[in-house]
């Protein structure tokens, strides 16, 4: 499963070129087969419908759009869009209707204070499957980042409580899936280990278990999708350790083998229309 990585030049068709290039690679020869592609695009941009046309013509595996609309009020935390309310702008909402009309999904990457915007979007377009990336990325929840985010235990506790409440509200919308990914991103405030020595699973569990437990409780195993988020998580830990932490937390909640299979395989197959025979 390929999720766009903002591999794009300045040419008008650059975003669709990523889809075309990925589809041309020899997947399935000495690697797993390619099951689906999520392309890059901003519904607020003029010509969004034409861009979607180009993605769809580039590959029959195209399933939807990912837009990085993460914006943080702390100037020391990197923002990826020009304004905090990008998901609520009229131009964005008008463009989003294209996804609804074509039965395509939407991947939302936001910071945690923007989760209510995702909730409003899910309410407005209940027919669109929305996938919340990285459980909403609560920057600074494990330690200080930027200029003044997560600098004190009390502020980190407030951040967790707000994240917990907003995630629970979002989960009431059945068209929303949550991606269990990015929980080792440095922006969360993890201590950075010595290069080449990934943070052990036990330490990841100490920090991430409250987030993962809550996500499993409000979404259920049938609405969570594991994602590698590599190499962004690489400064903190390995893919294997990150995946094991999720497995261990699911076990804490009495998760069955079937639920584990949902999180790591069948939920993605259903959400992205992946042909199960490709993975046989």
């Amino acid at each position: 499963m390929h999720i766009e990585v903002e591999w794009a030049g300045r040419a008008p068709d650059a975003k669709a070129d990523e889809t075309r290039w990925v589809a041309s690679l020899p997947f399935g020869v000495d690697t797993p087969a390619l099951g689906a592609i999520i392309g890059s695009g901003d519904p607020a941009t003029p010509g969004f419908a034409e861009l979607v046309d180009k993605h769809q013509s580039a590959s029959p595996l195209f399933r939807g759009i990912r837009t990085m609309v993460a914006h943080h009020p702390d100037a020391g935390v990197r923002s990826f869009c020009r304004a905090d309310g990008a998901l609520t702008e009229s131009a964005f909402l008008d463009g989003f209707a294209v996804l609804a009309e074509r039965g395509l999904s939407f991947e939302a990457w936001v910071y945690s204070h923007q989760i209510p915007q995702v909730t409003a979007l899910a309410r407005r377009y209940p027919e669109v499957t929305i996938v919340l990336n990285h459980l909403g990325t609560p920057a600074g929840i494990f330690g200080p980042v930027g200029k003044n985010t997560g600098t004190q235990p009390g502020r980190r506790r407030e951040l967790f409580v707000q994240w917990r409440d907003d995630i629970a509200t979002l989960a009431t919308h059945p068209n929303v899936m949550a991606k269990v990914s990015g929980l080792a991103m440095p922006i969360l405030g993890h201590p950075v280990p010595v290069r080449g020595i990934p943070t052990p699973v036990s330490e990841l569990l100490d920090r991430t278990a409250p987030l993962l437990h809550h996500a499993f409780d409000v979404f259920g195993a049938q609405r969570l999708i594991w994602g590698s988020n590599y190499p962004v998580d690489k400064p903190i830990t390995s893919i294997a350790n990150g995946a094991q932490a999720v497995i261990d937390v699911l076990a804490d909640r009495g998760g069955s083998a079937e639920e584990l299979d949902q999180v790591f395989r069948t939920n993605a197959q259903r959400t992205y229309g992946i042909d199960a025979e490709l993975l046989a």
Side-chain angles (χ1 to χ4, degrees):
M1 174 75 199
H2 173 74
I3 306 288
E4 67 84 23
V5 292
E6 289 289 327
W7 173 83
R10 296 181 181 275
D13 295 343
K15 292 183 182 298
D17 284 343
E18 178 179 341
T19 295
R20 184 173 295 104
W21 177 75
V22 169
S24 73
L25 297 175
F27 287 102
V29 177
D30 56 0
T31 65
L34 181 63
I37 297 173
I38 295 295
S40 176
D42 182 356
T45 303
F48 179 66
E50 289 76 12
L51 173 61
V52 172
D53 286 339
K54 291 171 182 175
H55 277 298
Q56 291 187 302
S57 66
S59 173
L61 297 178
F62 175 73
R63 298 289 185 265
I65 287 289
R66 179 176 185 253
T67 305
M68 296 199 297
V69 288
H71 186 283
H72 204 281
D74 186 334
V77 175
R78 184 182 177 187
S79 290
F80 292 82
C81 65
R82 65 186 182 282
D84 180 54
L87 287 169
T88 65
E89 294 178 352
S90 58
F92 182 95
L93 296 172
D94 290 344
F96 199 86
V98 173
L99 302 180
E101 293 165 359
R102 305 191 188 191
L104 297 170
S105 65
F106 179 71
E107 306 265 326
W109 181 43
V110 298
Y111 288 119
S112 58
H113 68 280
Q114 298 173 285
I115 292 173
Q117 296 177 29
V118 182
T119 302
L121 191 64
R123 185 183 304 115
R124 179 168 179 145
Y125 289 100
E127 69 272 41
V128 176
T129 297
I130 296 174
V131 182
L132 178 72
N133 288 186
H134 312 328
L135 290 185
T137 314
I141 200 165
F142 301 136
V145 295
K147 293 184 176 181
N148 52 29
T149 299
T151 54
Q152 299 172 6
R155 290 185 178 181
R156 294 195 288 273
R157 173 63 183 170
E158 291 173 2
L159 179 62
F160 172 73
V161 170
Q162 189 64 58
W163 171 88
R164 183 188 63 194
D165 292 347
D166 289 341
I167 281 286
T169 301
L170 178 64
T172 63
H173 295 272
N175 58 320
V176 177
M177 305 287 290
K179 194 163 285 183
V180 185
S181 58
L183 294 182
M185 285 195 290
I187 197 60
L188 298 185
H190 288 284
V192 180
V194 175
R195 186 172 182 178
I197 303 178
T199 301
V201 173
S202 60
E203 289 185 27
L204 287 179
L205 282 172
D206 286 343
R207 292 180 218 135
T208 64
L211 300 176
L212 288 166
H213 282 153
H214 185 61
F216 283 126
D217 289 345
V218 298
F219 280 101
Q222 70 275 12
R223 290 169 59 202
L224 295 176
I225 299 173
W226 179 80
S228 67
N229 199 45
Y230 220 69
V232 180
D233 289 5
K234 186 176 181 179
I236 304 300
T237 198
S238 64
I239 293 178
N241 284 8
Q244 189 62 53
V246 175
I247 292 169
D248 290 350
V249 168
L250 186 61
D252 288 344
R253 281 297 191 260
S256 64
E258 180 183 359
E259 289 176 318
L260 196 63
D261 191 48
Q262 288 178 317
V263 175
F264 281 87
R265 187 173 68 95
T266 59
N267 291 344
Q269 287 177 306
R270 182 182 76 252
T271 300
Y272 300 118
I274 297 174
D275 185 351
E277 292 184 1
L278 289 174
L279 306 179

